[in-house]
């Protein structure tokens, strides 16, 4: 079966790596991909936001399934585009239609959905420029810290957590005044939840679902979870504090009502649901929904899936996910992200990467890399994820860190304390 996978990060390399192991795979195309994906498939230079060129490629290359890595094409309606074009409507797209992608694309929509289906989340209210004064008054009724969220996609920067009331009021005014463009025309203000975060992943065909391994990611650039937010500096799966009784609660109180809600809303949802959760006093609350896999969580979740990933996707496409035998590896898997010096602020690209041949017992998922005449070069802030298995996360991390010393490029930085808060 010929597959087109959209995206270019570590997430896509991990998905491509796993798909390439399937005995059902024909040609695997990745658009645009990176130096890592070209080792397991064929990179194609496609403008993925241009759906008609995606369609042309799909028809010319007899692609039989499209898998969408990042959220933007989903929010822009790529699944709807396929369904509404007669010559490609039978080709399954793994990723929800626009109405489903709103769970990630609009915080206000997600909060309304959660309140309608009784899914535990922080108390909230939404405001626009016209209701700025009400927003300020609402802030006065809350206690510090204050959580302000731009409604739309803001490249992971749209959430502000402020300790000072006046600062929160000023930030609200700035956001509604266009700080994040259209994304902050509406702002959700919500109660601060104090707990420990984890990510839970579900794949659904719109009717039934499978729960994938959960993970914890480390978003801040600095050790001890300090400094600026990044795309993610490392991840661990399984998450030791997500024991069976907690995960049963997650399934009952969050996953089932979410999938039921999607079905009741009549949303054609074939793809991943990523639940950003926070555990407060042993109870799960939803911080956010995403409609794709997480990155770098994918780099620890995918290696723990024993079953054939392409087979899983085929069942999603056929709405027969309930018939799939789904197996998870008991081992722990961890990843450590090597990033460019300066990231998440300014950084240089084009640094030669060395040491690939020295890697033992870990596997590398490329994020921001590209091939050049001289070899593989850095091509982004997050460069390479080093993933390893172990009997527990400590053993797996030890292996990641041994190999993190071996892969090298000018300016290399990584956090040396991934998993520091876990027992
Ligand atoms: P989001 O983009 O919604 O995931 O928010 C980014 C980060 O802000 C989350 O990963 C949390 O660490 C934090 N956050 C968001 N909402 C809350 C909340 N209600 N209480 C505490 N922390 C939050
Ligand atoms: N690692 C968090 C995300 O992918 O959104």
């Amino acid at each position: 079966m010929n597959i087109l996978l959209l995206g270019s990060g570590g997430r896509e390399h991990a998905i491509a790596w796993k798909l390439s192991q399937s005995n059902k795979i024909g040609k695997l195309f990745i658009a645009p991909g990176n130096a890592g994906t070209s080792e397991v498939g064929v990179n194609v230079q496609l403008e993925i936001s241009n759906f008609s060129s995606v369609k042309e490629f799909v028809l010319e290359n007899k692609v039989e399934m499209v898998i969408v890595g990042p959220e933007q094409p989903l929010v822009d309606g790529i699944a709807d585009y396929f369904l509404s074009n007669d010559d490609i409507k039978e080709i399954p797209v793994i990723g929800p239609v626009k109405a489903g992608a709103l769970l990630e694309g609009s915080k206000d929509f997600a909060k309304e959905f959660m309140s309608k289906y009784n899914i535990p989340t922080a108390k909230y209210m939404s405001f626009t420029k016209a209701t700025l004064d009400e927003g300020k008054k609402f802030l006065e009724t809350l206690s510090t810290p204050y959580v302000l969220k731009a409604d739309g996609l803001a490249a992971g920067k749209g959430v502000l957590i402020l300790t000072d009331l006046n600062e929160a009021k000023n930030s609200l005014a700035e956001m509604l005044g266009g700080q994040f463009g259209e994304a902050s025309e509406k702002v959700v203000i919500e109660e601060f939840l104090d707990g420990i975060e984890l990510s839970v992943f579900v794949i659904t065909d719109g009717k039934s679902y499978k729960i994938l391994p959960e993970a914890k990611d480390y978003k801040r650039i600095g050790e001890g979870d300090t400094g600026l937010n990044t795309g993610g500096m490392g991840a661990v799966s399984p998450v030791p504090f997500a024991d069976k009784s907690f995960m049963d609660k997650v399934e009952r109180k969050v996953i089932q009502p979410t999938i039921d809600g999607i079905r009741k809303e009549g949303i054609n949802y074939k793809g991943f649901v990523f639940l950003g959760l926070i555990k407060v006093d042993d109870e799960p609350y939803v911080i956010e929904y995403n409609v794709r896999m997480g990155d770098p969580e994918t780099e620890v979740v995918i290696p723990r899936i024993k079953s054939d990933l392409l087979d899983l996707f085929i069942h999603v496409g056929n709405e027969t996910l309930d018939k799939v035998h789904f197996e998870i590896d008991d081992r722990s898997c961890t990843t450590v992200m090597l990033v460019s010096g300066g990231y998440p602020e300014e950084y240089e690209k084009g640094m030669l990467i060395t040491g690939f041949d020295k890697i033992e017992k870990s596997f590398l998922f490329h994020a921001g890399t590209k091939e050049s005449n001289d070899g593989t070069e850095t091509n982004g802030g997050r460069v390479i994820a080093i993933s390893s298995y172990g009997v527990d996360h400590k053993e797996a991390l030890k292996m990641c860190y041994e190999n993190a010393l071996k892969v090298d490029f000018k300016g290399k930085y990584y956090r040396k304390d991934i998993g520091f808060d876990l027992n």
Side-chain angles (χ1 to χ4, degrees):
M1 189 170 188
N2 293 346
I3 304 290
L4 173 62
L5 169 64
L6 304 183
S8 65
R11 167 182 51 211
E12 286 74 21
H13 187 188
I15 293 174
W17 168 80
K18 182 74 179 166
L19 288 174
S20 72
Q21 295 162 23
S22 170
N23 57 20
K24 297 191 166 111
I25 194 82
K27 284 190 185 139
L28 171 59
F29 300 104
I30 306 99
N34 60 35
T37 59
S38 68
E39 289 167 12
V40 290
V42 179
N43 287 353
V44 286
Q45 291 316 312
L46 257 184
E47 186 60 61
I48 66 173
S49 56
N50 181 343
F51 298 161
S52 64
S53 70
V54 174
K55 169 180 163 177
E56 210 172 291
F57 181 87
V58 161
L59 290 173
E60 266 174 24
N61 294 280
K62 301 196 165 44
V63 167
E64 295 160 88
M65 177 185 285
V66 177
I67 300 160
V68 186
E71 64 279 10
Q72 194 70 52
L74 297 168
V75 172
D76 293 343
I78 192 164
D80 313 67
Y81 178 85
F82 269 68
L83 287 169
S84 63
N85 270 262
D86 278 344
D87 38 358
I88 49 173
K89 72 172 181 218
E90 304 296 337
I91 297 172
V93 173
I94 304 301
V97 296
K98 210 170 178 169
L102 270 183
L103 284 174
E104 175 164 0
S106 166
K107 303 262 188 213
D108 181 52
F109 174 85
K111 296 296 281 192
E112 260 185 55
F113 177 90
M114 286 185 262
S115 95
K116 184 166 173 188
Y117 294 103
N118 270 323
I119 296 161
T121 187
K123 290 192 199 73
Y124 82 108
M125 278 188 81
S126 298
F127 300 93
T128 60
K129 214 170 181 175
T131 54
L132 172 63
D133 290 338
E134 284 96 316
K136 288 182 177 171
K137 285 198 193 96
F138 181 63
L139 281 169
E140 285 169 9
T141 69
L142 300 176
S143 51
T144 181
Y146 306 93
V147 183
L148 271 52
K149 299 186 173 186
D151 176 50
L153 294 182
K157 300 196 168 66
V159 176
L160 301 183
I161 299 182
L162 303 154
T163 46
D164 181 73
L165 178 61
N166 280 326
E167 213 184 316
K169 287 180 179 172
N170 291 339
S171 290
L172 177 65
E174 274 172 30
M175 285 174 92
L176 292 171
Q179 185 182 4
F180 298 103
E182 255 180 58
S184 66
E185 278 176 7
K186 203 183 263 180
V187 171
V188 169
I189 301 180
E190 68 179 33
E191 164 200 32
F192 180 83
L193 297 173
D194 194 6
I196 185 156
E197 287 177 57
L198 78 157
S199 309
V200 172
F201 303 94
V202 175
I203 187 155
T204 181
D205 59 6
K207 295 193 288 196
S208 60
Y209 61 84
K210 299 281 177 210
I211 304 175
L212 309 182
E214 79 286 353
K216 179 166 194 342
D217 84 336
Y218 292 81
K219 291 200 180 93
R220 303 297 192 96
I221 188 72
E223 277 154 25
D225 284 341
T226 55
L228 294 174
N229 249 328
T230 70
M233 297 296 291
V236 170
S237 176
V239 179
F241 61 81
D243 55 18
K244 177 151 183 352
S245 89
F246 179 74
M247 289 305 287
D248 285 346
K249 267 188 210 169
V250 170
E251 178 164 18
R252 193 162 31 86
K253 297 188 175 182
V254 178
I255 297 174
Q256 283 170 357
T258 297
I259 303 298
D260 280 351
I262 287 171
R263 201 179 41 232
K264 285 181 187 147
E265 295 294 312
I267 297 171
N268 185 346
Y269 201 119
K270 293 187 167 68
F272 296 103
V273 185
F274 166 166
L275 305 153
L277 300 181
I278 191 159
K279 178 181 171 183
V280 184
D281 298 333
D282 217 41
E283 287 296 318
Y285 291 83
V286 178
I287 294 258
E288 64 168 348
Y289 283 113
N290 293 306
V291 298
R292 53 172 172 87
M293 283 299 289
D295 194 348
E297 291 98 322
T298 308
E299 291 94 304
V300 297
V301 170
I302 290 284
R304 292 195 61 225
I305 298 178
K306 276 193 178 170
S307 312
D308 183 321
L309 186 64
L310 180 50
D311 189 51
L312 197 63
F313 288 151
I314 291 170
H315 282 280
V316 169
N318 293 341
E319 297 184 15
T320 51
L321 194 55
D322 56 333
K323 307 266 178 334
V324 150
H325 173 67
F326 182 62
E327 238 187 302
I328 290 173
D329 195 321
D330 286 337
R331 285 176 295 178
S332 187
C333 186
T334 62
T335 200
V336 171
M337 189 66 82
L338 308 184
V339 306
S340 298
Y343 173 78
E345 296 184 282
E346 256 174 57
Y347 58 85
E348 280 183 79
K349 293 184 188 173
M351 303 298 158
L352 192 66
I353 310 171
T354 57
F356 290 113
D357 52 329
K358 299 196 193 115
I359 297 300
E360 277 173 275
K361 295 188 192 154
S362 289
F363 30 108
L364 304 186
F365 293 123
H366 291 224
T369 66
K370 71 164 198 232
E371 280 311 331
S372 76
N373 291 336
D374 301 327
T376 308
E377 288 182 352
T378 66
N379 190 40
R382 292 192 295 170
V383 177
I384 286 183
I386 303 187
S387 295
S388 316
Y389 293 114
V391 288
D392 57 21
H393 65 274
K394 288 182 183 148
E395 188 184 282
L397 281 162
K398 194 162 169 273
M399 198 58 65
C400 293
Y401 284 124
E402 276 178 25
N403 285 296
L405 293 169
K406 298 177 187 166
V407 181
D408 211 12
F409 53 88
K410 194 171 158 237
K412 174 180 79 173
Y413 169 78
Y414 56 95
R415 266 181 68 169
K416 297 181 183 62
D417 70 338
I418 300 303
F420 77 98
D421 54 347
L422 305 175
N423 288 319

